[in-house]
PDB file of all heavy atoms in Angstrom:
ATOM      1  N   ILE A  27      43.168  60.242 109.246  1.00 72.00           N
ATOM      2  CA  ILE A  27      42.472  58.956 108.972  1.00 72.00           C
ATOM      3  C   ILE A  27      41.858  58.970 107.593  1.00 72.00           C
ATOM      4  O   ILE A  27      42.071  58.034 106.805  1.00 72.00           O
ATOM      5  CB  ILE A  27      41.446  58.798 110.070  1.00 72.00           C
ATOM      6  CG1 ILE A  27      42.045  58.604 111.463  1.00 72.00           C
ATOM      7  CG2 ILE A  27      40.579  57.468 109.675  1.00 72.00           C
ATOM      8  CD1 ILE A  27      41.033  58.517 112.553  1.00 72.00           C
ATOM      9  N   GLY A  28      41.151  60.077 107.227  1.00 68.00           N
ATOM     10  CA  GLY A  28      40.505  60.132 106.040  1.00 68.00           C
ATOM     11  C   GLY A  28      41.543  60.037 104.811  1.00 68.00           C
ATOM     12  O   GLY A  28      41.272  59.286 103.839  1.00 68.00           O
ATOM     13  N   MET A  29      42.622  60.897 104.880  1.00 69.00           N
ATOM     14  CA  MET A  29      43.632  60.803 103.733  1.00 69.00           C
ATOM     15  C   MET A  29      44.234  59.416 103.691  1.00 69.00           C
ATOM     16  O   MET A  29      44.553  58.909 102.584  1.00 69.00           O
ATOM     17  CB  MET A  29      44.625  61.855 104.055  1.00 69.00           C
ATOM     18  CG  MET A  29      44.131  63.286 103.913  1.00 69.00           C
ATOM     19  SD  MET A  29      43.689  63.746 102.220  1.00 69.00           S
ATOM     20  CE  MET A  29      45.339  63.645 101.476  1.00 69.00           C
ATOM     21  N   TRP A  30      44.555  58.766 104.776  1.00 64.00           N
ATOM     22  CA  TRP A  30      45.243  57.536 104.820  1.00 64.00           C
ATOM     23  C   TRP A  30      44.352  56.466 104.154  1.00 64.00           C
ATOM     24  O   TRP A  30      44.827  55.729 103.275  1.00 64.00           O
ATOM     25  CB  TRP A  30      45.533  56.987 106.275  1.00 64.00           C
ATOM     26  CG  TRP A  30      46.140  55.665 106.377  1.00 64.00           C
ATOM     27  CD1 TRP A  30      47.438  55.287 106.137  1.00 64.00           C
ATOM     28  CD2 TRP A  30      45.421  54.368 106.410  1.00 64.00           C
ATOM     29  NE1 TRP A  30      47.550  53.872 106.241  1.00 64.00           N
ATOM     30  CE2 TRP A  30      46.386  53.345 106.419  1.00 64.00           C
ATOM     31  CE3 TRP A  30      44.029  54.120 106.681  1.00 64.00           C
ATOM     32  CZ2 TRP A  30      45.953  51.998 106.539  1.00 64.00           C
ATOM     33  CZ3 TRP A  30      43.690  52.811 106.838  1.00 64.00           C
ATOM     34  CH2 TRP A  30      44.698  51.741 106.817  1.00 64.00           C
ATOM     35  N   PHE A  31      43.031  56.437 104.547  1.00 65.00           N
ATOM     36  CA  PHE A  31      42.163  55.472 103.911  1.00 65.00           C
ATOM     37  C   PHE A  31      41.987  55.681 102.466  1.00 65.00           C
ATOM     38  O   PHE A  31      42.068  54.830 101.693  1.00 65.00           O
ATOM     39  CB  PHE A  31      40.866  55.598 104.695  1.00 65.00           C
ATOM     40  CG  PHE A  31      39.754  54.710 104.017  1.00 65.00           C
ATOM     41  CD1 PHE A  31      39.646  53.416 104.183  1.00 65.00           C
ATOM     42  CD2 PHE A  31      38.762  55.326 103.215  1.00 65.00           C
ATOM     43  CE1 PHE A  31      38.776  52.572 103.615  1.00 65.00           C
ATOM     44  CE2 PHE A  31      37.840  54.565 102.530  1.00 65.00           C
ATOM     45  CZ  PHE A  31      37.798  53.139 102.863  1.00 65.00           C
ATOM     46  N   ALA A  32      41.826  56.963 102.055  1.00 64.00           N
ATOM     47  CA  ALA A  32      41.510  57.293 100.627  1.00 64.00           C
ATOM     48  C   ALA A  32      42.730  56.930  99.859  1.00 64.00           C
ATOM     49  O   ALA A  32      42.630  56.463  98.685  1.00 64.00           O
ATOM     50  CB  ALA A  32      41.167  58.718 100.508  1.00 64.00           C
ATOM     51  N   LEU A  33      43.945  57.296 100.200  1.00 65.00           N
ATOM     52  CA  LEU A  33      45.156  57.033  99.382  1.00 65.00           C
ATOM     53  C   LEU A  33      45.410  55.524  99.327  1.00 65.00           C
ATOM     54  O   LEU A  33      45.821  55.072  98.255  1.00 65.00           O
ATOM     55  CB  LEU A  33      46.393  57.821 100.061  1.00 65.00           C
ATOM     56  CG  LEU A  33      46.355  59.162  99.900  1.00 65.00           C
ATOM     57  CD1 LEU A  33      47.423  59.886 100.699  1.00 65.00           C
ATOM     58  CD2 LEU A  33      46.472  59.646  98.439  1.00 65.00           C
ATOM     59  N   LYS A  34      45.254  54.724 100.344  1.00 65.00           N
ATOM     60  CA  LYS A  34      45.345  53.316 100.361  1.00 65.00           C
ATOM     61  C   LYS A  34      44.353  52.762  99.275  1.00 65.00           C
ATOM     62  O   LYS A  34      44.734  51.965  98.448  1.00 65.00           O
ATOM     63  CB  LYS A  34      45.068  52.707 101.699  1.00 65.00           C
ATOM     64  CG  LYS A  34      46.157  52.814 102.627  1.00 65.00           C
ATOM     65  CD  LYS A  34      47.305  51.871 102.259  1.00 65.00           C
ATOM     66  CE  LYS A  34      48.386  51.911 103.338  1.00 65.00           C
ATOM     67  NZ  LYS A  34      49.547  50.937 102.913  1.00 65.00           N
ATOM     68  N   TRP A  35      43.092  53.157  99.226  1.00 62.00           N
ATOM     69  CA  TRP A  35      42.121  52.574  98.355  1.00 62.00           C
ATOM     70  C   TRP A  35      42.432  53.068  96.970  1.00 62.00           C
ATOM     71  O   TRP A  35      42.355  52.195  96.026  1.00 62.00           O
ATOM     72  CB  TRP A  35      40.760  53.083  98.801  1.00 62.00           C
ATOM     73  CG  TRP A  35      39.673  52.642  97.937  1.00 62.00           C
ATOM     74  CD1 TRP A  35      39.111  51.318  98.042  1.00 62.00           C
ATOM     75  CD2 TRP A  35      38.965  53.255  96.874  1.00 62.00           C
ATOM     76  NE1 TRP A  35      38.005  51.243  97.118  1.00 62.00           N
ATOM     77  CE2 TRP A  35      38.000  52.352  96.427  1.00 62.00           C
ATOM     78  CE3 TRP A  35      39.049  54.551  96.377  1.00 62.00           C
ATOM     79  CZ2 TRP A  35      37.064  52.763  95.403  1.00 62.00           C
ATOM     80  CZ3 TRP A  35      38.193  54.833  95.412  1.00 62.00           C
ATOM     81  CH2 TRP A  35      37.212  54.045  94.923  1.00 62.00           C
ATOM     82  N   SER A  36      42.841  54.300  96.708  1.00 62.00           N
ATOM     83  CA  SER A  36      43.072  54.823  95.312  1.00 62.00           C
ATOM     84  C   SER A  36      44.230  54.151  94.743  1.00 62.00           C
ATOM     85  O   SER A  36      44.256  53.685  93.600  1.00 62.00           O
ATOM     86  CB  SER A  36      43.296  56.291  95.488  1.00 62.00           C
ATOM     87  OG  SER A  36      43.749  56.907  94.233  1.00 62.00           O
ATOM     88  N   THR A  37      45.431  54.181  95.418  1.00 62.00           N
ATOM     89  CA  THR A  37      46.632  53.667  94.815  1.00 62.00           C
ATOM     90  C   THR A  37      46.541  52.184  94.664  1.00 62.00           C
ATOM     91  O   THR A  37      47.124  51.593  93.646  1.00 62.00           O
ATOM     92  CB  THR A  37      47.874  54.021  95.653  1.00 62.00           C
ATOM     93  OG1 THR A  37      47.724  53.612  96.999  1.00 62.00           O
ATOM     94  CG2 THR A  37      48.049  55.556  95.740  1.00 62.00           C
ATOM     95  N   GLY A  38      45.861  51.463  95.563  1.00 57.00           N
ATOM     96  CA  GLY A  38      45.751  50.005  95.446  1.00 57.00           C
ATOM     97  C   GLY A  38      45.033  49.596  94.211  1.00 57.00           C
ATOM     98  O   GLY A  38      45.438  48.708  93.446  1.00 57.00           O
ATOM     99  N   LYS A  39      43.893  50.294  93.844  1.00 57.00           N
ATOM    100  CA  LYS A  39      43.182  49.898  92.636  1.00 57.00           C
ATOM    101  C   LYS A  39      43.878  50.325  91.437  1.00 57.00           C
ATOM    102  O   LYS A  39      43.916  49.541  90.436  1.00 57.00           O
ATOM    103  CB  LYS A  39      41.847  50.789  92.704  1.00 57.00           C
ATOM    104  CG  LYS A  39      40.755  50.312  93.722  1.00 57.00           C
ATOM    105  CD  LYS A  39      39.487  51.007  93.550  1.00 57.00           C
ATOM    106  CE  LYS A  39      38.829  50.527  92.253  1.00 57.00           C
ATOM    107  NZ  LYS A  39      37.517  51.145  91.990  1.00 57.00           N
ATOM    108  N   LYS A  40      44.638  51.440  91.429  1.00 55.00           N
ATOM    109  CA  LYS A  40      45.347  51.789  90.174  1.00 55.00           C
ATOM    110  C   LYS A  40      46.516  50.916  90.001  1.00 55.00           C
ATOM    111  O   LYS A  40      46.817  50.543  88.796  1.00 55.00           O
ATOM    112  CB  LYS A  40      45.789  53.312  90.276  1.00 55.00           C
ATOM    113  CG  LYS A  40      46.212  53.753  88.985  1.00 55.00           C
ATOM    114  CD  LYS A  40      46.535  55.220  88.852  1.00 55.00           C
ATOM    115  CE  LYS A  40      45.970  56.277  89.632  1.00 55.00           C
ATOM    116  NZ  LYS A  40      45.964  56.275  91.045  1.00 55.00           N
ATOM    117  N   HIS A  41      47.236  50.482  91.036  1.00 51.00           N
ATOM    118  CA  HIS A  41      48.357  49.611  90.897  1.00 51.00           C
ATOM    119  C   HIS A  41      47.901  48.319  90.158  1.00 51.00           C
ATOM    120  O   HIS A  41      48.474  47.763  89.174  1.00 51.00           O
ATOM    121  CB  HIS A  41      48.893  49.202  92.187  1.00 51.00           C
ATOM    122  CG  HIS A  41      50.135  50.100  92.570  1.00 51.00           C
ATOM    123  ND1 HIS A  41      51.234  50.297  91.777  1.00 51.00           N
ATOM    124  CD2 HIS A  41      50.320  50.845  93.620  1.00 51.00           C
ATOM    125  CE1 HIS A  41      52.044  51.123  92.312  1.00 51.00           C
ATOM    126  NE2 HIS A  41      51.596  51.532  93.437  1.00 51.00           N
ATOM    127  N   ARG A  42      46.749  47.751  90.563  1.00 50.00           N
ATOM    128  CA  ARG A  42      46.191  46.586  89.982  1.00 50.00           C
ATOM    129  C   ARG A  42      45.830  46.722  88.584  1.00 50.00           C
ATOM    130  O   ARG A  42      46.103  45.960  87.680  1.00 50.00           O
ATOM    131  CB  ARG A  42      45.006  46.043  90.801  1.00 50.00           C
ATOM    132  CG  ARG A  42      45.328  45.561  92.151  1.00 50.00           C
ATOM    133  CD  ARG A  42      44.157  44.834  92.831  1.00 50.00           C
ATOM    134  NE  ARG A  42      43.053  45.665  93.000  1.00 50.00           N
ATOM    135  CZ  ARG A  42      42.788  46.362  94.142  1.00 50.00           C
ATOM    136  NH1 ARG A  42      43.715  46.317  95.077  1.00 50.00           N
ATOM    137  NH2 ARG A  42      41.719  47.165  94.255  1.00 50.00           N
ATOM    138  N   LYS A  43      45.231  47.832  88.292  1.00 57.00           N
ATOM    139  CA  LYS A  43      44.756  48.160  86.942  1.00 57.00           C
ATOM    140  C   LYS A  43      45.968  48.347  85.931  1.00 57.00           C
ATOM    141  O   LYS A  43      46.102  47.842  84.796  1.00 57.00           O
ATOM    142  CB  LYS A  43      43.862  49.346  86.917  1.00 57.00           C
ATOM    143  CG  LYS A  43      43.242  49.733  85.447  1.00 57.00           C
ATOM    144  CD  LYS A  43      42.392  50.914  85.534  1.00 57.00           C
ATOM    145  CE  LYS A  43      41.169  50.573  86.298  1.00 57.00           C
ATOM    146  NZ  LYS A  43      40.175  51.766  86.265  1.00 57.00           N
ATOM    147  N   MET A  44      46.993  49.196  86.511  1.00 52.00           N
ATOM    148  CA  MET A  44      48.129  49.429  85.641  1.00 52.00           C
ATOM    149  C   MET A  44      49.011  48.131  85.356  1.00 52.00           C
ATOM    150  O   MET A  44      49.648  47.996  84.296  1.00 52.00           O
ATOM    151  CB  MET A  44      48.958  50.627  86.201  1.00 52.00           C
ATOM    152  CG  MET A  44      48.254  51.866  86.330  1.00 52.00           C
ATOM    153  SD  MET A  44      47.841  52.682  84.785  1.00 52.00           S
ATOM    154  CE  MET A  44      49.426  53.415  84.399  1.00 52.00           C
ATOM    155  N   SER A  45      49.131  47.238  86.347  1.00 45.00           N
ATOM    156  CA  SER A  45      49.904  46.120  86.221  1.00 45.00           C
ATOM    157  C   SER A  45      49.271  45.092  85.181  1.00 45.00           C
ATOM    158  O   SER A  45      49.957  44.428  84.638  1.00 45.00           O
ATOM    159  CB  SER A  45      50.029  45.498  87.650  1.00 45.00           C
ATOM    160  OG  SER A  45      48.785  44.953  88.114  1.00 45.00           O
ATOM    161  N   LYS A  46      47.989  45.191  85.083  1.00 46.00           N
ATOM    162  CA  LYS A  46      47.314  44.349  84.044  1.00 46.00           C
ATOM    163  C   LYS A  46      47.429  44.933  82.633  1.00 46.00           C
ATOM    164  O   LYS A  46      47.211  44.199  81.657  1.00 46.00           O
ATOM    165  CB  LYS A  46      45.856  44.188  84.414  1.00 46.00           C
ATOM    166  CG  LYS A  46      45.506  43.374  85.574  1.00 46.00           C
ATOM    167  CD  LYS A  46      44.107  43.225  85.937  1.00 46.00           C
ATOM    168  CE  LYS A  46      43.819  42.450  87.205  1.00 46.00           C
ATOM    169  NZ  LYS A  46      42.390  42.350  87.459  1.00 46.00           N
ATOM    170  N   GLY A  47      47.774  46.224  82.601  1.00 55.00           N
ATOM    171  CA  GLY A  47      47.784  46.858  81.289  1.00 55.00           C
ATOM    172  C   GLY A  47      46.421  47.512  80.856  1.00 55.00           C
ATOM    173  O   GLY A  47      45.380  46.950  81.301  1.00 55.00           O
ATOM    174  N   LEU A  48      46.397  48.546  80.170  1.00 77.00           N
ATOM    175  CA  LEU A  48      45.181  49.164  79.799  1.00 77.00           C
ATOM    176  C   LEU A  48      44.867  48.741  78.417  1.00 77.00           C
ATOM    177  O   LEU A  48      45.663  48.903  77.464  1.00 77.00           O
ATOM    178  CB  LEU A  48      45.352  50.676  79.848  1.00 77.00           C
ATOM    179  CG  LEU A  48      45.648  51.239  81.263  1.00 77.00           C
ATOM    180  CD1 LEU A  48      46.071  52.686  81.217  1.00 77.00           C
ATOM    181  CD2 LEU A  48      44.440  51.108  82.144  1.00 77.00           C
ATOM    182  N   LYS A  49      43.556  48.188  78.231  1.00 83.00           N
ATOM    183  CA  LYS A  49      43.137  47.782  76.944  1.00 83.00           C
ATOM    184  C   LYS A  49      42.393  48.831  76.213  1.00 83.00           C
ATOM    185  O   LYS A  49      41.565  49.524  76.711  1.00 83.00           O
ATOM    186  CB  LYS A  49      42.247  46.528  77.111  1.00 83.00           C
ATOM    187  CG  LYS A  49      41.823  45.836  75.846  1.00 83.00           C
ATOM    188  CD  LYS A  49      41.079  44.612  76.076  1.00 83.00           C
ATOM    189  CE  LYS A  49      40.631  43.956  74.775  1.00 83.00           C
ATOM    190  NZ  LYS A  49      39.784  42.661  75.055  1.00 83.00           N
ATOM    191  N   PHE A  50      42.740  48.965  74.890  1.00 82.00           N
ATOM    192  CA  PHE A  50      41.961  49.897  74.033  1.00 82.00           C
ATOM    193  C   PHE A  50      40.897  49.238  73.361  1.00 82.00           C
ATOM    194  O   PHE A  50      41.211  48.186  72.608  1.00 82.00           O
ATOM    195  CB  PHE A  50      43.058  50.568  73.057  1.00 82.00           C
ATOM    196  CG  PHE A  50      42.424  51.448  72.055  1.00 82.00           C
ATOM    197  CD1 PHE A  50      41.628  52.578  72.400  1.00 82.00           C
ATOM    198  CD2 PHE A  50      42.598  51.211  70.667  1.00 82.00           C
ATOM    199  CE1 PHE A  50      41.085  53.406  71.408  1.00 82.00           C
ATOM    200  CE2 PHE A  50      42.015  52.022  69.649  1.00 82.00           C
ATOM    201  CZ  PHE A  50      41.321  53.135  70.090  1.00 82.00           C
ATOM    202  N   TYR A  51      39.687  49.704  73.331  1.00 79.00           N
ATOM    203  CA  TYR A  51      38.537  49.031  72.758  1.00 79.00           C
ATOM    204  C   TYR A  51      38.060  49.685  71.451  1.00 79.00           C
ATOM    205  O   TYR A  51      36.979  49.321  70.908  1.00 79.00           O
ATOM    206  CB  TYR A  51      37.423  49.038  73.779  1.00 79.00           C
ATOM    207  CG  TYR A  51      37.764  48.259  74.988  1.00 79.00           C
ATOM    208  CD1 TYR A  51      38.206  48.884  76.163  1.00 79.00           C
ATOM    209  CD2 TYR A  51      37.572  46.877  75.021  1.00 79.00           C
ATOM    210  CE1 TYR A  51      38.456  48.159  77.364  1.00 79.00           C
ATOM    211  CE2 TYR A  51      37.834  46.113  76.212  1.00 79.00           C
ATOM    212  CZ  TYR A  51      38.329  46.813  77.330  1.00 79.00           C
ATOM    213  OH  TYR A  51      38.648  46.103  78.447  1.00 79.00           O
ATOM    214  N   GLY A  52      38.803  50.638  70.877  1.00 84.00           N
ATOM    215  CA  GLY A  52      38.473  51.226  69.684  1.00 84.00           C
ATOM    216  C   GLY A  52      37.164  51.896  69.644  1.00 84.00           C
ATOM    217  O   GLY A  52      36.861  52.687  70.614  1.00 84.00           O
ATOM    218  N   GLU A  53      36.274  51.674  68.666  1.00 86.00           N
ATOM    219  CA  GLU A  53      34.970  52.285  68.631  1.00 86.00           C
ATOM    220  C   GLU A  53      34.036  51.881  69.740  1.00 86.00           C
ATOM    221  O   GLU A  53      32.896  52.332  69.837  1.00 86.00           O
ATOM    222  CB  GLU A  53      34.414  52.155  67.193  1.00 86.00           C
ATOM    223  CG  GLU A  53      35.250  52.946  66.167  1.00 86.00           C
ATOM    224  CD  GLU A  53      34.475  53.042  64.805  1.00 86.00           C
ATOM    225  OE1 GLU A  53      33.352  52.477  64.715  1.00 86.00           O
ATOM    226  OE2 GLU A  53      35.020  53.661  63.989  1.00 86.00           O
ATOM    227  N   LYS A  54      34.402  50.884  70.459  1.00 88.00           N
ATOM    228  CA  LYS A  54      33.620  50.368  71.604  1.00 88.00           C
ATOM    229  C   LYS A  54      33.939  51.087  72.938  1.00 88.00           C
ATOM    230  O   LYS A  54      33.353  50.793  73.970  1.00 88.00           O
ATOM    231  CB  LYS A  54      33.714  48.818  71.765  1.00 88.00           C
ATOM    232  CG  LYS A  54      33.133  48.021  70.641  1.00 88.00           C
ATOM    233  CD  LYS A  54      33.223  46.535  70.859  1.00 88.00           C
ATOM    234  CE  LYS A  54      32.642  45.825  69.665  1.00 88.00           C
ATOM    235  NZ  LYS A  54      32.708  44.346  69.982  1.00 88.00           N
ATOM    236  N   GLU A  55      34.842  51.969  72.881  1.00 91.00           N
ATOM    237  CA  GLU A  55      35.235  52.799  74.014  1.00 91.00           C
ATOM    238  C   GLU A  55      33.934  53.529  74.530  1.00 91.00           C
ATOM    239  O   GLU A  55      33.265  54.183  73.683  1.00 91.00           O
ATOM    240  CB  GLU A  55      36.336  53.766  73.676  1.00 91.00           C
ATOM    241  CG  GLU A  55      37.696  53.239  73.467  1.00 91.00           C
ATOM    242  CD  GLU A  55      38.474  53.039  74.751  1.00 91.00           C
ATOM    243  OE1 GLU A  55      38.214  53.740  75.771  1.00 91.00           O
ATOM    244  OE2 GLU A  55      39.320  52.093  74.890  1.00 91.00           O
ATOM    245  N   PHE A  56      33.727  53.439  75.812  1.00 91.00           N
ATOM    246  CA  PHE A  56      32.573  54.067  76.365  1.00 91.00           C
ATOM    247  C   PHE A  56      32.502  55.621  76.053  1.00 91.00           C
ATOM    248  O   PHE A  56      31.511  56.131  75.715  1.00 91.00           O
ATOM    249  CB  PHE A  56      32.524  53.940  77.853  1.00 91.00           C
ATOM    250  CG  PHE A  56      32.218  52.526  78.301  1.00 91.00           C
ATOM    251  CD1 PHE A  56      32.640  52.092  79.603  1.00 91.00           C
ATOM    252  CD2 PHE A  56      31.706  51.581  77.402  1.00 91.00           C
ATOM    253  CE1 PHE A  56      32.327  50.825  79.996  1.00 91.00           C
ATOM    254  CE2 PHE A  56      31.445  50.307  77.791  1.00 91.00           C
ATOM    255  CZ  PHE A  56      31.762  49.836  79.099  1.00 91.00           C
ATOM    256  N   ILE A  57      33.637  56.259  76.150  1.00 94.00           N
ATOM    257  CA  ILE A  57      33.631  57.775  76.001  1.00 94.00           C
ATOM    258  C   ILE A  57      33.404  58.036  74.505  1.00 94.00           C
ATOM    259  O   ILE A  57      32.683  58.969  74.084  1.00 94.00           O
ATOM    260  CB  ILE A  57      35.040  58.326  76.433  1.00 94.00           C
ATOM    261  CG1 ILE A  57      35.277  58.038  77.921  1.00 94.00           C
ATOM    262  CG2 ILE A  57      34.951  59.823  76.209  1.00 94.00           C
ATOM    263  CD1 ILE A  57      36.628  58.555  78.413  1.00 94.00           C
ATOM    264  N   PHE A  58      33.968  57.176  73.597  1.00 95.00           N
ATOM    265  CA  PHE A  58      33.697  57.400  72.215  1.00 95.00           C
ATOM    266  C   PHE A  58      32.191  57.298  71.894  1.00 95.00           C
ATOM    267  O   PHE A  58      31.632  58.087  71.146  1.00 95.00           O
ATOM    268  CB  PHE A  58      34.516  56.512  71.325  1.00 95.00           C
ATOM    269  CG  PHE A  58      34.254  56.632  69.888  1.00 95.00           C
ATOM    270  CD1 PHE A  58      34.665  57.754  69.238  1.00 95.00           C
ATOM    271  CD2 PHE A  58      33.646  55.597  69.157  1.00 95.00           C
ATOM    272  CE1 PHE A  58      34.449  57.908  67.934  1.00 95.00           C
ATOM    273  CE2 PHE A  58      33.425  55.771  67.820  1.00 95.00           C
ATOM    274  CZ  PHE A  58      33.859  56.927  67.118  1.00 95.00           C
ATOM    275  N   ILE A  59      31.505  56.342  72.479  1.00 95.00           N
ATOM    276  CA  ILE A  59      30.044  56.134  72.284  1.00 95.00           C
ATOM    277  C   ILE A  59      29.376  57.317  72.817  1.00 95.00           C
ATOM    278  O   ILE A  59      28.415  57.794  72.162  1.00 95.00           O
ATOM    279  CB  ILE A  59      29.628  54.850  72.940  1.00 95.00           C
ATOM    280  CG1 ILE A  59      30.300  53.628  72.282  1.00 95.00           C
ATOM    281  CG2 ILE A  59      28.084  54.762  72.916  1.00 95.00           C
ATOM    282  CD1 ILE A  59      29.963  52.355  73.029  1.00 95.00           C
TER     283      ILE A  59
END
């Protein structure tokens, strides 16, 4: 149950994000700051 739920949630979010494309924010990138 735990693995099924976690994998559904994880892959669903990433599919949506990857399908929209990843935007590069240059010097406004959070990690760069």
Side-chain angles (χ1 to χ4, degrees):
I27 297 172
M29 292 292 295
W30 176 85
F31 173 79
L33 289 171
K34 280 287 186 181
W35 183 78
S36 171
T37 55
K39 286 191 70 176
K40 193 175 327 56
H41 267 305
R42 291 193 295 272
K43 185 179 291 185
M44 297 293 282
S45 65
K46 292 179 180 178
L48 296 170
K49 184 176 180 180
F50 175 56
Y51 295 97
E53 294 193 357
K54 294 182 180 179
E55 288 275 335
F56 292 160
I57 302 176
F58 179 68
I59 295 172

